[in-house]
Amino acid sequence: METVMEMPATGYAPLAADPAWVRVCRLDDLADSWGEAALVKGQQLALFRVGRGDVFAVSQADPATRAHVMSRGMVGSRGRTHTIASPLHKEVYSLATGECFGRPELHLGTYPVRVVDGVVEVSV
């Protein structure tokens, strides 16, 4: 089952002091090494929590096909680099930079993420 997290009308609004950051969900809402889809300011994102507190936000669109499936990809690593493998063609991307390891012409969009008081915030 796929969960799409959208910003509710109250509780997860942009911070008044810094409107570039949008509250998306609680850190505890994200399972380790499992993706969740979120709609943030009209952008479809895939959120990933790796370990206790590393959180990444990438485009939900697969760079090779443009299908919105990246939250269903497999989380892994290449050395110390956290990665996501597309569920369609298995291309592997860095969660931090969006670099594709197998096809350098492909690039996965990435978004800045921070966790403030247990809440995941994304800048889009």
Side-chain angles (χ1 to χ4, degrees):
M1 179 169 100
E2 182 168 334
T3 302
V4 176
M5 293 183 218
E6 294 190 36
M7 293 186 324
T10 61
Y12 290 117
L15 295 175
D18 193 350
W21 292 94
V22 178
R23 293 178 175 187
V24 179
C25 63
R26 298 209 48 83
L27 179 62
D28 293 341
D29 293 335
L30 300 175
D32 185 15
S33 299
W34 187 258
E36 293 293 346
L39 184 61
V40 180
K41 290 188 176 180
Q43 298 290 319
Q44 290 189 42
L45 307 182
L47 297 172
F48 298 93
R49 177 180 178 174
V50 181
R52 295 191 64 137
D54 288 334
V55 181
F56 301 92
V58 299
S59 173
Q60 175 71 330
D62 179 324
T65 65
R66 305 308 305 158
H68 289 86
V69 296
M70 293 306 291
S71 64
R72 298 297 114 218
M74 184 176 288
V75 174
S77 64
R78 294 264 172 112
R80 295 184 146 199
T81 301
H82 297 299
T83 61
I84 183 69
S86 168
L88 296 178
H89 295 284
K90 310 303 183 227
E91 293 295 343
V92 178
Y93 301 88
S94 164
L95 280 170
T97 66
E99 169 192 9
C100 180
F101 292 98
R103 294 176 56 193
E105 71 274 12
L106 295 178
H107 190 270
L108 181 63
T110 61
Y111 298 86
V113 178
R114 68 184 185 187
V115 178
V116 177
D117 296 328
V119 176
V120 177
E121 298 179 351
V122 179
S123 179
V124 290

